Amino acid sequence: MQKNVYEANLFLPKAGLVKLTWGNVSQINRDLGLIVIKPSGVPYEKMQEADMVVTDLSGKVLQGELNPSSDIPTHCVLYQKFPEIGAVVHTHSKWAVCWAQAGRGISAYGTTHADTFYGTVPCTRDLTQTEVEVDYEVETGKVIVETFNEKKLDPLAIPAVIVKGHGPFTWGDTPQKAVENSLILEEVAEMALHSEELASATECLLPGYLLDKHYFRKHGSAAYYGQF
């Protein structure tokens, strides 16, 4: 598991999704009750596989000499509340952060979006001052879960979220899939922003039947995209 997490973390800067140390990937082993995550604040070019930190499901360190990512409490909340997911990614990728700073979700404007996200990638509300001051990272996880619950969204159908004023989180069944979803989110975030420069948001919206076609040709029992 450490190797998978290490390699997934290294892909973030290669894909242009992070600068400096602005990102992290984790993976959960639910059978063993373990999470593996990137260490906090360690430059990617200096990071080693052995630096990956192993914690329990509450974020308590079980193995490793370094502190885990400061976002580990957020990851823990997502693993606890979204039991189907196996890995989580957080970045401060430029285009997704633009939407976070604007406080807007990313609507489905095209089939590139629809291939991965079955509808709008939501944006959370602002955290309150108390939430930020008392238990910031835990409350970040909670506001993500709150957003999905209030909007009645399936975290497997929309494996991403924009945290207001902060940035994106994505997830998947493996670290590699979660990173792929982060990369796709960044691409559609940029596409959506430029689309709104050319036409109104209403004019950009993808018809529901085309959203259905592109999402379900890749997902579900009737999927036919790719090799079987």
Side-chain angles (χ1 to χ4, degrees):
M1 203 156 77
Q2 284 95 326
K3 181 180 181 182
N4 283 342
V5 173
Y6 171 65
E7 291 178 347
N9 272 287
L10 288 184
F11 187 75
L12 295 181
K14 290 178 182 177
L17 292 171
V18 304
K19 296 180 179 178
L20 302 176
T21 60
W22 303 346
N24 46 73
V25 181
S26 73
Q27 182 179 18
I28 187 170
N29 184 314
R30 295 188 182 275
D31 293 334
L32 298 177
L34 300 176
I35 295 170
V36 177
I37 195 167
K38 174 187 177 290
S40 179
V42 176
Y44 287 89
E45 63 271 17
K46 296 181 179 180
M47 196 169 62
Q48 303 295 321
E49 181 180 331
D51 294 330
M52 299 302 103
V53 184
V54 181
T55 78
D56 64 14
L57 301 193
S58 68
K60 179 182 177 182
V61 175
L62 301 177
Q63 179 182 326
E65 301 298 321
L66 302 174
N67 293 327
S69 167
S70 58
D71 292 307
I72 183 64
T74 306
H75 291 234
C76 289
V77 172
L78 295 178
Y79 288 131
Q80 291 162 12
K81 300 300 183 179
F82 296 162
E84 305 93 343
I85 69 175
V88 173
V89 175
H90 173 51
T91 75
H92 288 250
S93 58
K94 181 188 298 184
W95 298 108
V97 166
C98 287
W99 292 87
Q101 292 178 174
R104 290 185 56 192
I106 305 173
S107 297
Y109 288 159
T111 60
T112 309
H113 182 121
D115 282 339
T116 301
F117 308 114
Y118 189 48
T120 298
V121 175
C123 183
T124 71
R125 63 169 173 81
D126 279 312
L127 292 173
T128 67
Q129 183 174 347
T130 298
E131 287 170 335
V132 170
E133 292 177 351
V134 173
D135 210 348
Y136 176 53
E137 288 82 8
V138 168
E139 294 298 336
T140 298
K142 287 182 177 179
V143 79
I144 293 170
V145 174
E146 172 192 299
T147 300
F148 273 72
N149 287 341
E150 288 186 349
K151 295 179 181 295
K152 296 181 172 57
L153 301 177
D154 179 354
L156 296 184
I158 304 179
V161 70
I162 304 293
V163 177
K164 176 85 178 292
H166 187 170
F169 285 80
T170 64
W171 45 84
D173 56 351
T174 66
Q176 290 70 28
K177 188 63 179 179
V179 169
E180 179 182 302
N181 289 337
S182 187
L183 179 59
I184 295 168
L185 179 67
E186 181 68 356
E187 289 295 306
V188 299
E190 182 179 6
M191 291 175 184
L193 190 150
H194 291 308
S195 295
E196 291 193 5
E197 293 174 347
L198 298 170
S200 70
T202 301
E203 291 173 309
C204 293
L205 282 174
L206 192 69
Y209 59 84
L210 192 51
L211 172 69
D212 287 348
K213 181 64 176 180
H214 269 262
Y215 183 79
F216 288 112
R217 73 176 189 158
K218 282 192 170 184
H219 308 270
S221 59
Y224 63 87
Y225 178 91
Q227 303 303 313
F228 298 93

